[in-house]
Amino acid sequence: MPESLQTYEQAIEYLFGRINYERVHAEAYSTSDFKLDRMRLLLELMGNPHERIPVVHVAGTKGKGSTCSMLSSIFKACGYRCGLYISPHITAFEERFTVDGVQPSQSELVELVNRLLPTIAEMDNLPGRMQPTYFELATALAWQHFVDRKVDLAVLEVGLGGRLDSTNLCRPLVTVITNISRDHTHVLGSTLHQIAYEKAGIIKTGVPVISGVGPGEAREMIEQTSCERQAPLTLLGRDLELIERRTASQGISQIDVRTPTSLWKDVPIVLRGPHQATNATLALAVVDELRTRGWSLPDAEVKSGLQGVSWPARVEMIAQSPTVIIDAAHNWESARALVAAMREEQSHSKRILVFAATKDKDVAGILQQLLPQFDTLILTRYRDNPRGVSVEDLSGLVETMSTRPAHLAPDPLSAWTLAKRLSGPDDLIVITGSFFLVAELRETILAEANQATSCVTTDKFVATPVSASSGR
């Protein structure tokens, strides 16, 4: 255990050296590895920063990150200082905890980690597997940063499941469960009932719940848990209605929504895909719930906040000619949402898929949805995580599902280079299947687009710069 860390690189290396379940194959751990005892003690030794900040707590299989980003942008537009905690990050660790959209500086991160070192050392010496994990430390750093920045409230995205997630010691004003489908089945369970039980674990006694979970056993679990804990439940399709969604130009749409207390008209949605209308509907329900508690959230500022949302790597268009979209779809539900979003894109001469996947995901289910949508398939494996599926295994799986031949690329950069060579200016390139794939390629592609001038051709690739906030 170092006495102190001098540089940003040392701080990051120290954090990445902790047990990190984001980079461990699912078969190597189970629910016994996730316990709130460690997190509870860690926060207690820090002075319980989580008890000083009101929270909107968001879980779900798909859409929880987008909903969190919408809420954070809304609160900022309404004049509140808002902390946002998300996972995983795309490029830099500090993306996980921001205040009003601003990451802590590298020096601030070093200082935050150094302040935690004595507490970590104390816990590391305790018996009973009390050594804090990477995700637990990330959550603790977020809490400390939010206290330091004197936020008015925080929006927390659940990392895994809900019941045993490190964020679940918060004191929420309202909880949100966006939807539920199969993901992380090794930890959360193989049935929707079991997965819903884990996600319903964020429901607190007497705390209102906003749910976008559709009819079926998962919703029954949410209803049952809310009833048992006397938590008022607002259900999409019962108490909450997305009346209409109208597609406008350049990926922007408008929605009309009815909540139990309001009728919202002409609400702008800048994130691509019809699923974002549902996420925005849940966010508006949260707004109205907080209004009943005295929070000042005027209509105009709420709409302004939604107009200014930025959410990287979620059906994000990062270049044109050809159009390049990256999306961190890594489960069945997110792949379905990506396909629905693609249907609204302008027609393209050819569609090229660059795909990599993680071993413990439903890779077959994801590919079943994606393969029919593309003319050309490039399979690869990301480099920076041992959980990646080999290109040979991906190729074998594709052969059982399609007669279309696939190109194999040993790494993401090779896959991107091949995609450029195979594409023309009127084509579409979609890069998806994993956060890790997107993380390895996003900055490279943005750098190329920013360096290029309009109508400069390189390797049959015409890069027209797209602003960093465009189309997210």
Side-chain angles (χ1 to χ4, degrees), residues 209-271:
V209 184
I210 312 294
S211 174
V213 179
E217 58 182 322
R219 188 163 86 174
E220 291 171 2
M221 173 57 70
I222 302 303
E223 292 179 297
Q224 176 186 331
T225 306
S226 298
C227 181
E228 290 172 352
R229 297 177 186 175
Q230 298 181 322
L233 175 62
T234 300
L235 273 176
L236 182 67
R238 187 191 71 182
D239 317 297
L240 181 61
E241 181 185 4
L242 173 58
I243 300 171
E244 184 182 5
R245 173 178 179 265
R246 299 174 295 281
T247 302
S249 61
Q250 299 180 340
I252 298 176
S253 59
Q254 288 187 334
I255 60 173
D256 299 336
V257 170
R258 180 178 290 107
T259 75
T261 59
S262 300
L263 175 62
W264 292 87
K265 301 282 288 185
D266 302 324
V267 178
I269 309 297
V270 299
L271 302 183

Side-chain angles (χ1 to χ4, degrees), residues 15 28 32 45-46 105 155 161 303 315 378 400 406 437:
L15 292 170
S32 64
L45 293 173
M46 293 172 61
S105 67
V155 179
K303 291 181 179 181
V315 198
I378 301 173
T400 68
L437 172 65

Side-chain angles (χ1 to χ4, degrees), residues 160-457:
L160 176 64
R163 181 174 64 93
L164 299 175
D165 189 75
S166 299
T167 63
N168 202 28
L169 295 174
C170 65
R171 303 289 188 265
L173 298 167
V174 59
T175 59
V176 183
I177 302 175
T178 58
N179 56 31
I180 294 174
S181 61
R182 288 178 176 83
D183 194 18
H184 300 291
T185 54
H186 179 75
V187 177
L188 303 183
S190 58
T191 69
L192 288 179
H193 184 272
Q194 291 171 318
I195 295 171
Y197 170 77
E198 294 297 331
K199 295 190 185 297
I202 73 167
I203 298 173
K204 306 293 191 297
T205 300
V207 176
V209 184
I210 312 294
S211 174
V213 179
E217 58 182 322
R219 188 163 86 174
E220 291 171 2
M221 173 57 70
I222 302 303
E223 292 179 297
Q224 176 186 331
T225 306
S226 298
C227 181
E228 290 172 352
R229 297 177 186 175
Q230 298 181 322
L233 175 62
T234 300
L235 273 176
L236 182 67
R238 187 191 71 182
D239 317 297
L240 181 61
E241 181 185 4
L242 173 58
I243 300 171
E244 184 182 5
R245 173 178 179 265
R246 299 174 295 281
T247 302
S249 61
Q250 299 180 340
I252 298 176
S253 59
Q254 288 187 334
I255 60 173
D256 299 336
V257 170
R258 180 178 290 107
T259 75
T261 59
S262 300
L263 175 62
W264 292 87
K265 301 282 288 185
D266 302 324
V267 178
I269 309 297
V270 299
L271 302 183
R272 304 176 104 85
H275 62 291
Q276 298 294 0
T278 300
N279 295 332
T281 299
L282 299 177
L284 292 173
V286 172
V287 166
D288 279 348
E289 177 61 42
L290 293 181
R291 281 171 158 178
T292 66
R293 296 170 174 232
W295 290 74
S296 176
L297 300 164
D299 286 14
E301 283 75 10
V302 170
K303 291 181 179 181
S304 176
L306 286 171
Q307 183 79 48
V309 173
S310 174
W311 193 225
R314 281 75 171 183
V315 198
E316 180 188 15
M317 185 176 70
I318 58 174
Q320 295 175 327
S321 301
T323 300
V324 181
I325 288 178
I326 60 171
D327 186 71
H330 59 281
N331 55 45
W332 189 94
E333 186 69 24
S334 55
R336 183 188 67 81
L338 172 59
V339 169
M342 286 176 55
R343 295 194 185 105
E344 297 187 346
E345 292 297 319
Q346 62 183 5
S347 59
H348 298 278
S349 299
K350 181 169 61 177
R351 291 183 170 187
I352 300 170
L353 173 66
V354 177
F355 183 84
T358 303
K359 290 177 181 177
D360 55 317
K361 300 296 182 180
D362 179 14
V363 182
I366 297 171
L367 284 171
Q368 281 176 350
Q369 296 196 74
L370 294 178
L371 288 181
Q373 311 299 321
F374 291 90
D375 307 295
T376 301
L377 174 62
I378 301 173
L379 303 175
T380 189
R381 177 178 182 170
Y382 44 82
R383 298 167 300 167
D384 295 338
N385 192 304
R387 294 166 62 198
V389 181
S390 70
V391 291
E392 294 78 14
D393 287 346
L394 286 177
S395 178
L397 182 56
V398 169
E399 287 177 0
T400 68
M401 304 168 64
S402 173
T403 58
R404 182 181 304 138
H407 300 274
L408 306 185
D411 57 74
L413 187 57
S414 299
W416 168 237
T417 300
L418 178 58
K420 290 188 288 182
R421 289 175 177 166
L422 293 173
S423 66
D426 297 326
D427 294 339
L428 170 68
I429 301 172
V430 174
I431 300 169
T432 192
S434 167
F435 271 103
F436 304 111
L437 172 65
V438 167
E440 289 192 27
L441 285 180
R442 183 175 182 272
E443 294 303 308
T444 296
I445 300 171
L446 281 173
E448 290 181 12
N450 289 334
Q451 290 171 2
T453 57
S454 181
C455 298
V456 173
T457 305

